[in-house]
Amino acid sequence: MSRSGPTRVHPATCRLQRTIRRGNVLSFFDHPAIQGGVAPFVVGVVVAALFFRFRLAGLAVAAGFCTAAYFINGFSFTPLTATRKIILLAPAAALIGILCDAFARPARATAVALGLASGALSIWVFWSVLVQKDLLQALALGAGAALWVALVVSLTCGLAAQPVRAGAAGLGLGLGTGAAAVLGATASYGLLGIALGAAAGAFLLAQMILNRKTDAGFTFTLPAGLLAALVGVGSVLLAQLPWHALALLLLAPLAAHVPVPERVSVPVQAVILSALTLAAGAVPAVFMWRAEPGLPF
Amino acid sequence: MKKLVFATIAAAISAPAAAAPETYVIDPRHTFPHFTVNHLGVANIYGRFNRTTGRLILDKAARTGTIEVVLETASIDTGDNERGERKRSRDEHLRSPDFFNAAEFPQMIYKGTATKWNDDTPVEIDGQLTLLGVTRPVRLTVDHFRCLPDPRVGGKREVCGGNATGTLRRSEFGMKFGIPGTSDEIRLLMQFEALRQ
């Protein structure tokens, strides 16, 4: 039996093999593209596939976010900084989402109630920053943060019964927030936002591949909306993302509400809605880029 | 004889006063904690904090001393604070949550005690550095230390100062961004001067 000739291996695979041979697996995971994009996406696909039949594929977004958070920050919660509170809220929001799906209807009132609760929660998250400001400034910043988070969560949770729209909203909002955060001088918040978008993309991809919708529910929409909103506020309060850029990010969940014919297939719906939300999510980054051109760092 | 007794009593009373701990306030214009961090395994980048306050309490006779230094994290300066063609300068990035998170943790505090002395000169300080809300031990080696009457005011007050060095691992304080491209190990080089109160 003759042996076949040497197989051509892609250069990227060679590099990866060399990295692993050197025992540098950890340095492979140090790469920002792996931490914020590839790893959350892969975990999101696996979780969506595993839980699709249990109608809990929406857990993909919280799982993807936690994956990125683990690589970027680790699961250390002492001292409980604003960033760590946001990370802590990922599993908590998924759990609350599951409970809401079990006991509450995906009605507008539930979405608004979750939005208001999330707005109040944002004060707790950024309390350590707000208390260091003057009273008036703290009140203005706190009220602005609460209003913004309430709006984003209400809009996103309003899509709980529409899984393709919810997935597209998460994709555009996550990637848009991530890109804006990077331009606002915080790469770690940028990676957290991008991870949200990647995981929401995984949730959407699962529906596209299977050509059928699954339940998004609050299990998906609450973590997607809440985490993206908090990452956005964090980029304003802790870094240098301007408020007006943050306000423009509202366009992403709004774009997911654009009417699309229901008779077209799930993949086509997903592509149209994703294109809309991605374009809307890119508006703040483009706006910032045009206002002040140049590399992020 | 009476005079001698009074002189002896006066000396006995004044001796403990002379040996009492003296407080020195850090002179912010002559105190700049510097640091170096390796970038990409290529060069050591130098930076410093421009706003520092604090105090030393020294009892040279008893060979005891403490130091407390408060650094404003937003005053970090690595010589790259102009944006140029970029969106943000390196110093702006260093103030972000990726590194010093200056909005949430505006201060970095070092509290130490001189543990080794060479005659009346401290040579080693064991202390605790609080950075990003995490407190960890950091030892400083005092490379040079001297006290003298301040010639700028005709010797009417005493000035003490010197240089100290130490190392820390920033990941131990939760500052993990950019490792290993930007090294985990940070070398501290502190120049300090303090004026006796």
Side-chain angles (χ1 to χ4, degrees), chain B residues 117-134:
Chain B
W117 292 72
N118 185 6
D119 294 331
D120 62 349
T121 304
V123 292
E124 195 168 274
I125 300 168
D126 279 328
Q128 302 278 326
L129 178 69
T130 303
L131 165 62
L132 296 171
V134 178

mmCIF file with all atom_site columns, all heavy atoms in Angstrom, chain B residues 117-134:
data_model
loop_
_atom_site.group_PDB
_atom_site.id
_atom_site.type_symbol
_atom_site.label_atom_id
_atom_site.label_alt_id
_atom_site.label_comp_id
_atom_site.label_asym_id
_atom_site.label_entity_id
_atom_site.label_seq_id
_atom_site.pdbx_PDB_ins_code
_atom_site.Cartn_x
_atom_site.Cartn_y
_atom_site.Cartn_z
_atom_site.occupancy
_atom_site.B_iso_or_equiv
_atom_site.pdbx_formal_charge
_atom_site.auth_seq_id
_atom_site.auth_comp_id
_atom_site.auth_asym_id
_atom_site.auth_atom_id
_atom_site.pdbx_PDB_model_num
ATOM 1   N N   . TRP B 1 117 ? 18.039 49.219 58.512 1.00 0.00 ? 117 TRP B N   1
ATOM 2   C CA  . TRP B 1 117 ? 18.748 50.495 58.624 1.00 0.00 ? 117 TRP B CA  1
ATOM 3   C C   . TRP B 1 117 ? 20.250 50.267 58.532 1.00 0.00 ? 117 TRP B C   1
ATOM 4   O O   . TRP B 1 117 ? 20.758 49.221 58.959 1.00 0.00 ? 117 TRP B O   1
ATOM 5   C CB  . TRP B 1 117 ? 18.422 51.158 59.977 1.00 0.00 ? 117 TRP B CB  1
ATOM 6   C CG  . TRP B 1 117 ? 17.009 51.612 60.092 1.00 0.00 ? 117 TRP B CG  1
ATOM 7   C CD1 . TRP B 1 117 ? 15.905 50.822 60.242 1.00 0.00 ? 117 TRP B CD1 1
ATOM 8   C CD2 . TRP B 1 117 ? 16.543 52.954 60.047 1.00 0.00 ? 117 TRP B CD2 1
ATOM 9   N NE1 . TRP B 1 117 ? 14.764 51.598 60.294 1.00 0.00 ? 117 TRP B NE1 1
ATOM 10  C CE2 . TRP B 1 117 ? 15.136 52.917 60.190 1.00 0.00 ? 117 TRP B CE2 1
ATOM 11  C CE3 . TRP B 1 117 ? 17.151 54.196 59.914 1.00 0.00 ? 117 TRP B CE3 1
ATOM 12  C CZ2 . TRP B 1 117 ? 14.349 54.063 60.191 1.00 0.00 ? 117 TRP B CZ2 1
ATOM 13  C CZ3 . TRP B 1 117 ? 16.379 55.349 59.920 1.00 0.00 ? 117 TRP B CZ3 1
ATOM 14  C CH2 . TRP B 1 117 ? 14.990 55.270 60.051 1.00 0.00 ? 117 TRP B CH2 1
ATOM 15  N N   . ASN B 1 118 ? 20.929 51.252 58.017 1.00 0.00 ? 118 ASN B N   1
ATOM 16  C CA  . ASN B 1 118 ? 22.383 51.288 58.036 1.00 0.00 ? 118 ASN B CA  1
ATOM 17  C C   . ASN B 1 118 ? 22.748 52.534 58.829 1.00 0.00 ? 118 ASN B C   1
ATOM 18  O O   . ASN B 1 118 ? 22.635 53.652 58.318 1.00 0.00 ? 118 ASN B O   1
ATOM 19  C CB  . ASN B 1 118 ? 22.906 51.342 56.602 1.00 0.00 ? 118 ASN B CB  1
ATOM 20  C CG  . ASN B 1 118 ? 24.409 51.260 56.549 1.00 0.00 ? 118 ASN B CG  1
ATOM 21  O OD1 . ASN B 1 118 ? 25.061 51.053 57.577 1.00 0.00 ? 118 ASN B OD1 1
ATOM 22  N ND2 . ASN B 1 118 ? 24.955 51.422 55.366 1.00 0.00 ? 118 ASN B ND2 1
ATOM 23  N N   . ASP B 1 119 ? 23.114 52.331 60.087 1.00 0.00 ? 119 ASP B N   1
ATOM 24  C CA  . ASP B 1 119 ? 23.259 53.444 61.040 1.00 0.00 ? 119 ASP B CA  1
ATOM 25  C C   . ASP B 1 119 ? 21.921 54.192 61.146 1.00 0.00 ? 119 ASP B C   1
ATOM 26  O O   . ASP B 1 119 ? 20.919 53.571 61.466 1.00 0.00 ? 119 ASP B O   1
ATOM 27  C CB  . ASP B 1 119 ? 24.406 54.382 60.629 1.00 0.00 ? 119 ASP B CB  1
ATOM 28  C CG  . ASP B 1 119 ? 25.754 53.665 60.725 1.00 0.00 ? 119 ASP B CG  1
ATOM 29  O OD1 . ASP B 1 119 ? 25.848 52.755 61.566 1.00 0.00 ? 119 ASP B OD1 1
ATOM 30  O OD2 . ASP B 1 119 ? 26.655 53.981 59.949 1.00 0.00 ? 119 ASP B OD2 1
ATOM 31  N N   . ASP B 1 120 ? 21.912 55.483 60.785 1.00 0.00 ? 120 ASP B N   1
ATOM 32  C CA  . ASP B 1 120 ? 20.632 56.204 60.903 1.00 0.00 ? 120 ASP B CA  1
ATOM 33  C C   . ASP B 1 120 ? 19.971 56.390 59.535 1.00 0.00 ? 120 ASP B C   1
ATOM 34  O O   . ASP B 1 120 ? 19.153 57.287 59.347 1.00 0.00 ? 120 ASP B O   1
ATOM 35  C CB  . ASP B 1 120 ? 20.846 57.561 61.596 1.00 0.00 ? 120 ASP B CB  1
ATOM 36  C CG  . ASP B 1 120 ? 21.767 58.463 60.798 1.00 0.00 ? 120 ASP B CG  1
ATOM 37  O OD1 . ASP B 1 120 ? 22.401 57.959 59.837 1.00 0.00 ? 120 ASP B OD1 1
ATOM 38  O OD2 . ASP B 1 120 ? 21.866 59.659 61.129 1.00 0.00 ? 120 ASP B OD2 1
ATOM 39  N N   . THR B 1 121 ? 20.321 55.515 58.591 1.00 0.00 ? 121 THR B N   1
ATOM 40  C CA  . THR B 1 121 ? 19.763 55.637 57.243 1.00 0.00 ? 121 THR B CA  1
ATOM 41  C C   . THR B 1 121 ? 18.915 54.407 56.914 1.00 0.00 ? 121 THR B C   1
ATOM 42  O O   . THR B 1 121 ? 19.422 53.281 57.003 1.00 0.00 ? 121 THR B O   1
ATOM 43  C CB  . THR B 1 121 ? 20.904 55.754 56.207 1.00 0.00 ? 121 THR B CB  1
ATOM 44  O OG1 . THR B 1 121 ? 21.722 56.850 56.566 1.00 0.00 ? 121 THR B OG1 1
ATOM 45  C CG2 . THR B 1 121 ? 20.352 55.938 54.800 1.00 0.00 ? 121 THR B CG2 1
ATOM 46  N N   . PRO B 1 122 ? 17.661 54.614 56.544 1.00 0.00 ? 122 PRO B N   1
ATOM 47  C CA  . PRO B 1 122 ? 16.843 53.446 56.158 1.00 0.00 ? 122 PRO B CA  1
ATOM 48  C C   . PRO B 1 122 ? 17.317 52.882 54.823 1.00 0.00 ? 122 PRO B C   1
ATOM 49  O O   . PRO B 1 122 ? 17.638 53.637 53.904 1.00 0.00 ? 122 PRO B O   1
ATOM 50  C CB  . PRO B 1 122 ? 15.436 54.029 56.044 1.00 0.00 ? 122 PRO B CB  1
ATOM 51  C CG  . PRO B 1 122 ? 15.629 55.473 55.804 1.00 0.00 ? 122 PRO B CG  1
ATOM 52  C CD  . PRO B 1 122 ? 16.917 55.870 56.446 1.00 0.00 ? 122 PRO B CD  1
ATOM 53  N N   . VAL B 1 123 ? 17.389 51.563 54.719 1.00 0.00 ? 123 VAL B N   1
ATOM 54  C CA  . VAL B 1 123 ? 17.847 50.946 53.459 1.00 0.00 ? 123 VAL B CA  1
ATOM 55  C C   . VAL B 1 123 ? 16.785 50.018 52.854 1.00 0.00 ? 123 VAL B C   1
ATOM 56  O O   . VAL B 1 123 ? 16.912 49.623 51.700 1.00 0.00 ? 123 VAL B O   1
ATOM 57  C CB  . VAL B 1 123 ? 19.173 50.176 53.638 1.00 0.00 ? 123 VAL B CB  1
ATOM 58  C CG1 . VAL B 1 123 ? 20.300 51.133 53.921 1.00 0.00 ? 123 VAL B CG1 1
ATOM 59  C CG2 . VAL B 1 123 ? 19.060 49.122 54.720 1.00 0.00 ? 123 VAL B CG2 1
ATOM 60  N N   . GLU B 1 124 ? 15.783 49.678 53.633 1.00 0.00 ? 124 GLU B N   1
ATOM 61  C CA  . GLU B 1 124 ? 14.732 48.818 53.072 1.00 0.00 ? 124 GLU B CA  1
ATOM 62  C C   . GLU B 1 124 ? 13.385 49.174 53.706 1.00 0.00 ? 124 GLU B C   1
ATOM 63  O O   . GLU B 1 124 ? 13.311 49.417 54.904 1.00 0.00 ? 124 GLU B O   1
ATOM 64  C CB  . GLU B 1 124 ? 15.052 47.346 53.338 1.00 0.00 ? 124 GLU B CB  1
ATOM 65  C CG  . GLU B 1 124 ? 14.226 46.390 52.489 1.00 0.00 ? 124 GLU B CG  1
ATOM 66  C CD  . GLU B 1 124 ? 14.788 44.983 52.569 1.00 0.00 ? 124 GLU B CD  1
ATOM 67  O OE1 . GLU B 1 124 ? 15.709 44.672 51.788 1.00 0.00 ? 124 GLU B OE1 1
ATOM 68  O OE2 . GLU B 1 124 ? 14.314 44.208 53.410 1.00 0.00 ? 124 GLU B OE2 1
ATOM 69  N N   . ILE B 1 125 ? 12.358 49.215 52.845 1.00 0.00 ? 125 ILE B N   1
ATOM 70  C CA  . ILE B 1 125 ? 11.007 49.540 53.326 1.00 0.00 ? 125 ILE B CA  1
ATOM 71  C C   . ILE B 1 125 ? 10.086 48.400 52.930 1.00 0.00 ? 125 ILE B C   1
ATOM 72  O O   . ILE B 1 125 ? 10.012 48.017 51.763 1.00 0.00 ? 125 ILE B O   1
ATOM 73  C CB  . ILE B 1 125 ? 10.502 50.867 52.701 1.00 0.00 ? 125 ILE B CB  1
ATOM 74  C CG1 . ILE B 1 125 ? 11.436 52.025 53.069 1.00 0.00 ? 125 ILE B CG1 1
ATOM 75  C CG2 . ILE B 1 125 ? 9.080  51.158 53.142 1.00 0.00 ? 125 ILE B CG2 1
ATOM 76  C CD1 . ILE B 1 125 ? 11.180 53.292 52.269 1.00 0.00 ? 125 ILE B CD1 1
ATOM 77  N N   . ASP B 1 126 ? 9.404  47.846 53.916 1.00 0.00 ? 126 ASP B N   1
ATOM 78  C CA  . ASP B 1 126 ? 8.378  46.836 53.628 1.00 0.00 ? 126 ASP B CA  1
ATOM 79  C C   . ASP B 1 126 ? 7.031  47.522 53.727 1.00 0.00 ? 126 ASP B C   1
ATOM 80  O O   . ASP B 1 126 ? 6.710  48.125 54.760 1.00 0.00 ? 126 ASP B O   1
ATOM 81  C CB  . ASP B 1 126 ? 8.457  45.682 54.630 1.00 0.00 ? 126 ASP B CB  1
ATOM 82  C CG  . ASP B 1 126 ? 9.544  44.703 54.254 1.00 0.00 ? 126 ASP B CG  1
ATOM 83  O OD1 . ASP B 1 126 ? 9.800  44.535 53.047 1.00 0.00 ? 126 ASP B OD1 1
ATOM 84  O OD2 . ASP B 1 126 ? 10.167 44.130 55.166 1.00 0.00 ? 126 ASP B OD2 1
ATOM 85  N N   . GLY B 1 127 ? 6.249  47.429 52.661 1.00 0.00 ? 127 GLY B N   1
ATOM 86  C CA  . GLY B 1 127 ? 4.975  48.139 52.682 1.00 0.00 ? 127 GLY B CA  1
ATOM 87  C C   . GLY B 1 127 ? 3.888  47.445 51.902 1.00 0.00 ? 127 GLY B C   1
ATOM 88  O O   . GLY B 1 127 ? 4.068  46.343 51.380 1.00 0.00 ? 127 GLY B O   1
ATOM 89  N N   . GLN B 1 128 ? 2.773  48.112 51.861 1.00 0.00 ? 128 GLN B N   1
ATOM 90  C CA  . GLN B 1 128 ? 1.589  47.606 51.164 1.00 0.00 ? 128 GLN B CA  1
ATOM 91  C C   . GLN B 1 128 ? 1.182  48.633 50.114 1.00 0.00 ? 128 GLN B C   1
ATOM 92  O O   . GLN B 1 128 ? 1.002  49.806 50.436 1.00 0.00 ? 128 GLN B O   1
ATOM 93  C CB  . GLN B 1 128 ? 0.429  47.426 52.149 1.00 0.00 ? 128 GLN B CB  1
ATOM 94  C CG  . GLN B 1 128 ? 0.717  46.492 53.314 1.00 0.00 ? 128 GLN B CG  1
ATOM 95  C CD  . GLN B 1 128 ? 0.545  45.036 52.934 1.00 0.00 ? 128 GLN B CD  1
ATOM 96  O OE1 . GLN B 1 128 ? -0.310 44.699 52.128 1.00 0.00 ? 128 GLN B OE1 1
ATOM 97  N NE2 . GLN B 1 128 ? 1.372  44.175 53.491 1.00 0.00 ? 128 GLN B NE2 1
ATOM 98  N N   . LEU B 1 129 ? 1.040  48.162 48.889 1.00 0.00 ? 129 LEU B N   1
ATOM 99  C CA  . LEU B 1 129 ? 0.581  49.040 47.813 1.00 0.00 ? 129 LEU B CA  1
ATOM 100 C C   . LEU B 1 129 ? -0.878 48.715 47.510 1.00 0.00 ? 129 LEU B C   1
ATOM 101 O O   . LEU B 1 129 ? -1.226 47.539 47.316 1.00 0.00 ? 129 LEU B O   1
ATOM 102 C CB  . LEU B 1 129 ? 1.435  48.823 46.554 1.00 0.00 ? 129 LEU B CB  1
ATOM 103 C CG  . LEU B 1 129 ? 1.013  49.659 45.341 1.00 0.00 ? 129 LEU B CG  1
ATOM 104 C CD1 . LEU B 1 129 ? 1.302  51.131 45.561 1.00 0.00 ? 129 LEU B CD1 1
ATOM 105 C CD2 . LEU B 1 129 ? 1.719  49.178 44.076 1.00 0.00 ? 129 LEU B CD2 1
ATOM 106 N N   . THR B 1 130 ? -1.700 49.753 47.499 1.00 0.00 ? 130 THR B N   1
ATOM 107 C CA  . THR B 1 130 ? -3.108 49.574 47.129 1.00 0.00 ? 130 THR B CA  1
ATOM 108 C C   . THR B 1 130 ? -3.307 50.155 45.740 1.00 0.00 ? 130 THR B C   1
ATOM 109 O O   . THR B 1 130 ? -3.155 51.353 45.530 1.00 0.00 ? 130 THR B O   1
ATOM 110 C CB  . THR B 1 130 ? -4.040 50.249 48.145 1.00 0.00 ? 130 THR B CB  1
ATOM 111 O OG1 . THR B 1 130 ? -3.765 49.707 49.437 1.00 0.00 ? 130 THR B OG1 1
ATOM 112 C CG2 . THR B 1 130 ? -5.509 50.006 47.808 1.00 0.00 ? 130 THR B CG2 1
ATOM 113 N N   . LEU B 1 131 ? -3.613 49.277 44.809 1.00 0.00 ? 131 LEU B N   1
ATOM 114 C CA  . LEU B 1 131 ? -3.801 49.668 43.407 1.00 0.00 ? 131 LEU B CA  1
ATOM 115 C C   . LEU B 1 131 ? -5.036 48.936 42.899 1.00 0.00 ? 131 LEU B C   1
ATOM 116 O O   . LEU B 1 131 ? -5.172 47.729 43.111 1.00 0.00 ? 131 LEU B O   1
ATOM 117 C CB  . LEU B 1 131 ? -2.549 49.280 42.603 1.00 0.00 ? 131 LEU B CB  1
ATOM 118 C CG  . LEU B 1 131 ? -2.620 49.271 41.087 1.00 0.00 ? 131 LEU B CG  1
ATOM 119 C CD1 . LEU B 1 131 ? -2.919 50.658 40.550 1.00 0.00 ? 131 LEU B CD1 1
ATOM 120 C CD2 . LEU B 1 131 ? -1.288 48.777 40.502 1.00 0.00 ? 131 LEU B CD2 1
ATOM 121 N N   . LEU B 1 132 ? -5.925 49.641 42.260 1.00 0.00 ? 132 LEU B N   1
ATOM 122 C CA  . LEU B 1 132 ? -7.175 49.074 41.740 1.00 0.00 ? 132 LEU B CA  1
ATOM 123 C C   . LEU B 1 132 ? -7.973 48.377 42.848 1.00 0.00 ? 132 LEU B C   1
ATOM 124 O O   . LEU B 1 132 ? -8.626 47.358 42.612 1.00 0.00 ? 132 LEU B O   1
ATOM 125 C CB  . LEU B 1 132 ? -6.887 48.094 40.600 1.00 0.00 ? 132 LEU B CB  1
ATOM 126 C CG  . LEU B 1 132 ? -6.256 48.700 39.341 1.00 0.00 ? 132 LEU B CG  1
ATOM 127 C CD1 . LEU B 1 132 ? -5.828 47.607 38.375 1.00 0.00 ? 132 LEU B CD1 1
ATOM 128 C CD2 . LEU B 1 132 ? -7.218 49.660 38.658 1.00 0.00 ? 132 LEU B CD2 1
ATOM 129 N N   . GLY B 1 133 ? -7.863 48.895 44.066 1.00 0.00 ? 133 GLY B N   1
ATOM 130 C CA  . GLY B 1 133 ? -8.621 48.336 45.183 1.00 0.00 ? 133 GLY B CA  1
ATOM 131 C C   . GLY B 1 133 ? -8.016 47.083 45.770 1.00 0.00 ? 133 GLY B C   1
ATOM 132 O O   . GLY B 1 133 ? -8.584 46.490 46.678 1.00 0.00 ? 133 GLY B O   1
ATOM 133 N N   . VAL B 1 134 ? -6.849 46.679 45.270 1.00 0.00 ? 134 VAL B N   1
ATOM 134 C CA  . VAL B 1 134 ? -6.184 45.467 45.762 1.00 0.00 ? 134 VAL B CA  1
ATOM 135 C C   . VAL B 1 134 ? -4.937 45.892 46.525 1.00 0.00 ? 134 VAL B C   1
ATOM 136 O O   . VAL B 1 134 ? -4.159 46.710 46.037 1.00 0.00 ? 134 VAL B O   1
ATOM 137 C CB  . VAL B 1 134 ? -5.786 44.537 44.597 1.00 0.00 ? 134 VAL B CB  1
ATOM 138 C CG1 . VAL B 1 134 ? -5.054 43.300 45.104 1.00 0.00 ? 134 VAL B CG1 1
ATOM 139 C CG2 . VAL B 1 134 ? -7.014 44.146 43.786 1.00 0.00 ? 134 VAL B CG2 1
#
